[in-house]
Amino acid sequence: MAVVKTFTVHETAPRTITVLGSTGSVGSNTIDLINRSPERFQVDTLSGNNNVKLLAEQAITVGARMAVIAEETLYQDLKSALSGTGIEVAAGRNALIEAAMRPTDWVMAAIVGAAGLAPTLEAVRRGAIVGLANKECLVSAGEFFCREVSAANARLIPVDSEHSAIYQVFDFERPERVEKIILTASGGPFRERSLDTLTKVTPAEAVAHPNWSMGAKISVDSATMMNKGLELIEAYHLFPVESEQIDILVHPQSVIHSMVEYVDASVLAQLGSPDMRTPIAFALAWPDRMSAPSPRLKLQDVKTLTFEAPDPIRFPALRLAREALNIGGSAPTVLNAANEIAVYAFLAGKLGFLEITSVVEETIDQIPKRELISLDDVYDIDAEARRIAHEKVLAAG
Ligand code: NAD
Ligand code: MG
């Protein structure tokens, strides 16, 4: 069940903004856009996990009212870095949740992983417009998260480039006229690698994405193609379609960001250069548009756009994600949690590349499906999946 409904924007000008995860890749691009159009925005709060220096710099540059560092022990460091500026300082998980509750018009949810769920939910519960980069929270808490969005009449504007593309060409007034969604995938850095060479890839090779510059976790997800699996589940929740109506197509140039096919066989696509500032600008300004400095698409230079079907043998993550979506209930929560554990183990040199998806599959197989009624159910399943996935990592290493 997707969460689309009409939404009236009643807000102040300039738009007041919270950026959760401002020190990351999406967060920094958001700050860059805000700095280029300062008259449109008033930044209330920024948050980061442990990069005090960057967080303080950003807070000063944008003139934020508050800066929150999730790592509690860094409170004094942030306080010193911002002394004399008048910017309020807070630290810890609860401070992050309280920051998300501050009454701003618009919130960027750009924390990576399930750690972003609690603060993003607070922004949703107060009916904010939420620019959603953090796909893991939608995968992990799916139906529950969507119910909260509907109950609070909040608005999710996708920041993921594929979902931003679909959002821009999807006829929400006549969703029954949509035959399918075609999610495009770059194929990641190992698209052309043979299965036997994939056993030996290093974290450095896996994070070197051919088209997009991103944080480490999503870069590894792109290399395993679990990113597209998470995006399949994300699309299912964001748009009123069934899972069988979502196809995945590998398109290595990342120029067509995704497509919607209608019952009359007409296909609408959104195109652009692969620069996250375009989908971030779309979300920041929605329902208006704002200028973004992304390189203009010159198809005469790109010349060739190619497409291929994803390879299920080398990239089993897509099958795992589709199975988890079809099982429903707690299965996507387990998929997401086990994947986070496995990806960070791989980045730490404790797990082989191909073992990332094996750990995810074995963890899903071991945990029977449960229904998710409350947020506590999500947290319980998430914790159990992390514990089991961690045991599997130890056993593999
Ligand atoms: P990143 O690693 O560069 O940044 C993550 C941010 O979250 C940082 O500000 C970090 O300080 C903060 N953070 C990390 N752990 C935290 C914790 N436990 N508590 C509080 N804050 C924490 O990641 P990114 O590439 O910017 O991705 C952010 C999200 O956006 C992810 O969910 C990713 O899937 C999604 N996304 C990213 C891109 C991209 O181009 N980078 C594209 C589409 C979607
Ligand atoms: Mg994407």
Side-chain angles (χ1 to χ4, degrees), residues 169-190:
V169 294
F170 195 100
D171 186 349
F172 289 103
E173 282 171 20
R174 291 173 210 82
E176 69 287 358
R177 301 292 180 245
V178 168
E179 198 155 281
K180 62 181 175 186
I181 282 176
I182 303 160
L183 273 183
T184 53
S186 69
F190 305 139

Side-chain angles (χ1 to χ4, degrees), residues 20-29 47-51 70-71 93 96 109-113 115-116 119 132-137 159-162 212-219 221 227 230-231 276 344:
L20 301 171
S22 65
T23 55
S25 167
V26 170
S28 299
N29 278 319
S47 89
N49 192 33
N50 53 25
N51 190 340
E71 177 52 60
R93 300 265 326 133
L96 195 57
I111 292 174
V112 60
L132 188 76
N134 180 250
K135 65 193 91 185
E136 295 94 340
C137 71
V159 167
D160 219 346
S161 56
E162 298 77 1
W212 300 93
S213 150
M214 309 182 286
K217 195 258 174 182
I218 183 175
S219 298
D221 285 344
N227 182 48
L230 300 177
E231 290 184 359
M276 281 306 290
Y344 288 109

Side-chain angles (χ1 to χ4, degrees), residues 59-117:
I60 293 167
T61 324
V62 299
R65 298 196 177 117
M66 185 176 199
V68 182
I69 193 92
E71 177 52 60
E72 204 147 6
T73 56
L74 295 172
Y75 175 78
Q76 274 309 334
D77 291 8
L78 184 61
K79 184 118 189 114
S80 319
L82 289 174
S83 75
T85 61
I87 299 170
E88 218 181 307
V89 170
R93 300 265 326 133
N94 285 339
L96 195 57
I97 290 172
E98 281 164 23
M101 293 163 87
R102 287 164 68 100
T104 53
D105 300 317
W106 193 96
V107 178
M108 168 55 87
I111 292 174
V112 60
L117 175 58

